[in-house]
Amino acid sequence: MKFIKYICAASLLAAAACALWSCSDEDDRRLSDAVLASTASLTFEAQDGAEKIITVYADADWVTEIPDWVTVTPAQGTGVTDVTITVDANLRDGAVDTPRKATLVFKGRTLASRAEVLIAQNGDKYRDVKECAVSELPALADETVVSVPAAVVVAVTTKGFVVSDERMTDNVFVADAAKVAVGDKVSIKGTKSSDAQKLPTVAGCDQVKVLSSGGAVAYPTPTDLSAAIDSYTSDRRGYVAVTGFFDGSTVAVAETSKYSVSVVDAPAALGLAALAGHNVTVTGYYAGLAEPVHRIMATAVEDEGAVEVIYFSDDFEWMDEWSVASNAGRTVETDDLKAECPRVTTNAALKAPFLTDLEENHGYKLIYGNNDKKGPNTPDGIYLQRNYFKFGKTGYQAGIVLPPIDGIPAGERLILSFDWCPMRQGADKGDAIDPVNLIVVVANGGQETTFEVPEAGWEAGHKLEWIRAEVALGDILVDKDTKITVKQTQWAVSTAHRWFFDNVKIIKAP
């Protein structure tokens, strides 16, 4: 049973009153209007945990609410005070108990003047855990510790694998880098959670053990998404298939379809990279909808024949983990000027890891320009949306340099295409459309060729929507040393020329 200690600076009667948030006027005046703590959380070992010291900041007296297994010294104080925190050994019946956590509160006069510190203590997380089958995992609450004694690996991705039960009725993704293969029988210990698409996963694995290898997997008949691509929904990781045109990033069923399909984290062994420009049939496990893209963890890819030659393609779906981590919105699709738009140069979830991923793993380079407010080329004005970019803000401009592209035959006639959309200003500025003039600059050594992109030509108040730009590059040289930049002509100016960018592709001209 949880027990909370209440300690007040006055008499026992005053302590009881404060505990009920009904201190007298005199006590109210003594207690602080603002209380802060130097940390929001502390973690201790199960036994022999060293004491920890934090600082309480207050403008008057403060008191505490303390979990019964935690000791705080001093437990009350005035103004800025260093306090020492210790915990009891986390034992039950002479053995280490399960992990525990509780909230330590430093509080002042009102409910608003509270500083909460989460106290966590390690333990044996599997002590009371009962073994369960894969079929039981979806119904469990997130953060439930699980032990699965036997599961069959039915699909492998670059970030984990899908397991099922012997009947192939329930399928769960395991986010772990363990070396497993399709057909392996494994045991798993970890924590049940849900991914961004709200499908069940097992993460934070402490153990993935291969029990046997080489087993055959009898896949069920897949549900065909092709005919129902725009209406299909599921809260389960079912076995599905889709047939359509693969552009190097996604599978498009038809030009009129609202949704397409992305094969997520496909291992190289599937050979998907060589099928850009082909019609394909992809079979695998449904991984949810990240509008406007259905996601599949593939088990097989069948080549249905070449349609066009694609030398480069990116729909930026690989940015999904960053978009989710930074809570990025969809300004264009929702026509919502207030959609969350995290700045990549300052957002804590993006600043270092995303920029490293963008440049080192995907080969892009971001460029900046500004009106000399903070010096030339100050890194700013680049934002993330749900798997696409927003470039520019008032007084700041930005653009993107595509990765090096190799393997294009000399003299090949090329077309560069991408989706873009200009930003609309708010009602207080007449719902004006930013006057964006995009250009594509192809540079080979000291020689540059510039191609203009037609303006949107929208009237004020026009609903945000994607515009498909197609730029005929002709037979201009494009090789691994070529630098292809997409930016606006307005550069280092004080006005607003903001735009969104997605779905870039270079193909052989028909």
Side-chain angles (χ1 to χ4, degrees):
M1 182 178 67
K2 184 177 179 182
F3 175 71
I4 300 294
K5 306 172 189 174
Y6 289 94
I7 303 176
C8 196
S11 64
L12 292 176
L13 180 60
C18 284
L20 296 174
W21 295 99
S22 58
C23 294
S24 67
D25 291 342
E26 180 180 357
D27 289 329
D28 283 350
R29 286 192 297 272
R30 283 201 305 267
L31 288 176
S32 176
D33 287 322
V35 181
L36 297 173
S38 59
T39 187
S41 63
L42 293 172
T43 300
F44 293 84
E45 293 302 321
Q47 300 184 71
D48 304 321
E51 65 182 28
K52 298 181 185 292
I53 299 175
I54 68 172
T55 303
V56 177
Y57 301 90
D59 58 3
D61 293 350
W62 49 267
V63 294
T64 50
E65 295 177 3
I66 309 172
D68 64 338
W69 48 276
V70 177
T71 300
V72 179
T73 308
Q76 61 187 36
T78 301
V80 179
T81 308
D82 287 339
V83 300
T84 301
I85 301 173
T86 59
V87 296
D88 299 339
N90 188 17
L91 301 175
R92 173 160 51 98
D93 299 329
V96 174
D97 203 354
T98 55
R100 57 184 174 179
K101 61 179 64 175
T103 301
L104 164 64
V105 180
F106 300 94
K107 66 182 184 180
R109 185 171 59 87
T110 68
L111 285 170
S113 54
R114 293 166 60 95
E116 297 186 351
V117 179
L118 178 65
I119 307 295
Q121 189 172 22
N122 296 330
D124 180 2
K125 61 192 281 187
Y126 296 100
R127 172 168 175 164
D128 296 326
V129 172
K130 295 181 179 179
E131 293 183 342
C132 64
V134 173
S135 59
E136 298 176 85
L137 295 176
L140 298 178
D142 285 357
E143 299 189 11
T144 299
V145 177
V146 298
S147 176
V148 181
V152 178
V153 176
V154 293
V156 175
T157 78
T158 58
K159 294 184 179 179
F161 52 96
V162 180
V163 294
S164 189
D165 53 20
E166 296 289 348
R167 297 174 299 165
M168 301 293 168
T169 55
D170 290 275
N171 314 294
V172 174
F173 180 68
V174 180
D176 191 82
K179 299 292 185 180
V180 299
V182 172
D184 286 354
K185 189 173 183 179
V186 297
S187 63
I188 303 162
K189 289 185 176 181
T191 303
K192 189 267 178 178
S193 61
S194 298
D195 62 17
Q197 281 65 49
K198 299 182 180 180
L199 296 177
T201 67
V202 176
C205 292
D206 294 300
Q207 182 188 96
V208 174
K209 184 177 181 180
V210 177
L211 305 176
S212 63
S213 299
V217 176
Y219 293 107
T221 301
T223 299
D224 188 0
L225 300 188
S226 305
I229 190 70
D230 288 343
S231 59
Y232 183 83
T233 59
S234 179
D235 59 358
R236 301 175 68 85
R237 207 177 293 273
Y239 198 56
V240 298
V242 65
T243 298
F245 174 72
F246 180 58
D247 66 2
S249 298
T250 57
V251 178
V253 173
E255 290 186 5
T256 57
S257 297
K258 177 182 177 182
Y259 295 126
S260 58
V261 172
S262 175
V263 183
V264 296
D265 307 322
L270 282 176
L272 196 61
L275 298 179
H278 291 226
N279 282 329
V280 298
T281 297
V282 178
T283 309
Y285 289 92
Y286 188 66
L289 174 65
E291 289 196 36
V293 179
H294 292 287
R295 296 154 53 90
I296 291 179
M297 295 178 174
T299 57
V301 178
E302 184 177 350
D303 184 6
E304 306 287 357
V307 178
E308 67 180 14
V309 179
I310 299 176
Y311 292 112
F312 175 78
S313 179
D314 196 350
D315 61 1
F316 300 107
E317 290 303 310
W318 57 267
M319 299 197 307
D320 193 59
E321 63 177 297
W322 306 112
S323 301
V324 172
S326 60
N327 197 33
R330 296 184 174 94
T331 301
V332 177
E333 291 84 353
T334 60
D335 193 37
D336 180 7
L337 305 187
K338 295 182 179 180
E340 192 70 25
C341 207
R343 188 182 308 174
V344 302
T345 52
T346 58
N347 184 277
L350 301 176
K351 185 175 181 180
F354 170 71
L355 291 174
T356 298
D357 189 24
L358 179 76
E359 295 185 8
E360 295 185 4
N361 297 330
H362 297 276
Y364 290 96
K365 181 180 179 182
L366 302 178
I367 57 174
Y368 317 86
N370 64 284
N371 193 34
D372 290 334
K373 293 179 180 179
K374 298 180 180 178
N377 296 322
T378 300
D380 207 343
I382 293 186
Y383 304 85
L384 196 63
Q385 295 284 263
R386 186 67 183 266
N387 305 344
Y388 57 92
F389 285 100
K390 176 189 174 185
F391 290 129
K393 69 174 185 176
T394 302
Y396 291 81
Q397 290 76 48
I400 191 166
V401 180
L402 302 187
I405 304 169
D406 203 3
I408 301 179
E412 190 85 286
R413 300 185 67 82
L414 303 171
I415 293 177
L416 167 68
S417 62
F418 56 86
D419 291 337
W420 76 285
C421 175
M423 182 61 165
R424 186 179 69 242
Q425 302 192 30
D428 59 328
K429 296 185 179 180
D431 292 319
I433 303 296
D434 283 8
V436 178
N437 299 104
L438 292 183
I439 56 174
V440 175
V441 181
V442 182
N444 286 297
Q447 182 177 357
E448 291 188 352
T449 306
T450 299
F451 302 87
E452 295 185 0
V453 176
E455 294 182 53
W458 292 347
E459 298 292 335
H462 193 287
K463 179 182 178 180
L464 298 184
E465 59 183 327
W466 290 110
I467 302 169
R468 189 64 176 171
E470 292 194 351
V471 179
L473 302 181
D475 59 0
I476 192 169
L477 174 66
V478 175
D479 61 19
K480 62 182 178 60
D481 298 316
T482 303
K483 179 181 174 183
I484 301 177
T485 304
V486 184
K487 55 179 283 189
Q488 68 266 49
T489 58
Q490 306 93 339
W491 202 256
V493 295
S494 60
T495 45
H497 304 274
R498 302 160 297 173
W499 53 290
F500 302 89
F501 179 76
D502 196 6
N503 296 325
V504 59
K505 181 167 66 173
I506 295 177
I507 66 171
K508 177 181 178 180

